Amino acid sequence: NAGVMQNPRHLVRRRGQEARLRCSPMKGHSHVYWYRQLPEEGLKFMVYLQKENIIDESGMPKERFSAEFPKEGPSILRIQQVVRGDSAAYFCASAIDRVTNEKLFFGSGTQLSVL
Amino acid sequence: GQNIDQPTEMTATEGAIVQINCTYQTSGFNGLFWYQQHAGEAPTFLSYNVLDGLEEKGRFSSFLSRSKGYSYLLLKELQMKDSASYLCAVSAGGGNKLTFGTGTQLKVEL
């Protein structure tokens, strides 16, 4: 029973390139959350998606960032024209339902480094 | 908005007991979670409190006082492997979106 799978674990990009981060939720989970973690800071909520729908994107920067969770395949967090400030660990979490006491299961994260 | 405060770091001795505090300010409180995160790894769920009182789970216990906006995580019989960051997170409003504190880095020494 695989957990939340994220790839790649490490991603290096030069300024101006695009970064694509993938997340496959746990089997049977249809709710996906993306968080960003900067050094010495807590996990910051970015976006919450269900299959084919963005439910809450209140934490997403207005430009260059987008997320999707298609009917088939993993959820994708896409960062266009990356800048050094985008360097961070990006964590994906999944849940089986949208009830308030449902714990989130986290992936191991993608460490993005922008040169 | 929400505000969550916890100490940045703590040090304790193997075999001892340590209490990690968390205070929060939020509206529409739905519950409080504690997660453990080892460096470079995924946060893993430790506990969930929605009612006042103590929840015990093996060596780990978590306490909540909603009126005071206060929680603590109690770790007993500390082991070296307990050295990690402990994240306090609050669920508020609809759904299970969590707001995290900055985490408390616990170092367990011999």
Side-chain angles (χ1 to χ4, degrees):
Chain A
N1 187 15
V4 179
M5 304 300 291
Q6 288 189 250
N7 68 82
R9 281 300 304 272
H10 302 276
L11 182 62
V12 179
R13 285 287 177 267
R14 296 188 182 281
R15 281 180 296 170
Q17 292 184 319
E18 178 180 285
R20 279 181 175 249
L21 288 63
R22 295 175 192 78
C23 169
S24 296
M26 284 185 70
K27 187 175 181 180
H29 286 196
S30 60
H31 300 256
V32 166
Y33 301 76
W34 285 93
Y35 284 81
R36 176 165 61 178
Q37 189 174 39
L38 292 164
E40 311 302 323
E41 293 188 18
L43 290 159
K44 301 290 186 191
F45 169 78
M46 299 182 75
V47 63
Y48 162 38
L49 310 105
Q50 269 186 281
K51 283 286 187 181
E52 300 184 276
N53 287 305
I54 296 174
I55 308 300
D56 182 344
E57 56 182 348
S58 57
M60 287 280 270
K62 293 286 184 284
E63 297 176 348
R64 301 187 298 108
F65 285 71
S66 63
E68 63 177 9
F69 189 15
K71 188 176 180 181
E72 300 291 337
S75 176
I76 305 287
L77 180 67
R78 183 181 176 208
I79 311 173
Q80 295 177 291
Q81 299 175 325
V82 295
V83 300
R84 289 221 172 101
D86 297 332
S87 295
Y90 291 82
F91 287 92
C92 167
S94 73
I96 196 167
D97 205 344
R98 198 186 173 221
V99 294
T100 55
N101 65 341
E102 189 61 45
K103 63 186 177 187
L104 300 183
F105 291 84
F106 282 84
S108 297
T110 294
Q111 181 64 52
L112 173 65
S113 299
V114 180
L115 304 179
Chain B
Q2 294 163 29
N3 191 37
I4 301 173
D5 287 311
Q6 50 182 134
T8 304
E9 53 187 34
M10 299 181 71
T11 302
T13 305
E14 188 180 34
I17 299 173
V18 70
Q19 178 174 312
I20 303 174
N21 296 323
C22 172
T23 58
Y24 64 90
Q25 295 171 313
T26 188
S27 55
F29 178 79
N30 288 326
L32 188 142
F33 292 78
W34 283 96
Y35 280 79
Q36 180 192 60
Q37 186 180 24
H38 286 95
E41 296 184 13
T44 54
F45 170 82
L46 289 178
S47 68
Y48 170 73
N49 294 70
V50 64
L51 299 176
D52 290 352
L54 189 68
E55 294 279 343
E56 296 187 76
K57 193 185 291 186
R59 293 191 300 115
F60 292 8
S61 304
S62 56
F63 171 83
L64 176 68
S65 169
R66 288 172 297 173
S67 62
K68 295 180 180 175
Y70 168 67
S71 173
Y72 67 72
L73 180 70
L74 193 71
L75 291 78
K76 304 175 187 175
E77 302 170 14
L78 281 173
Q79 302 174 11
M80 299 298 288
K81 67 178 182 179
D82 297 329
S83 293
S85 183
Y86 291 86
L87 313 177
C88 173
V90 169
S91 173
N96 46 3
K97 180 177 86 175
L98 297 181
T99 300
F100 284 85
T102 54
T104 298
Q105 187 64 47
L106 174 66
K107 183 178 179 182
V108 180
E109 299 178 329
L110 290 171

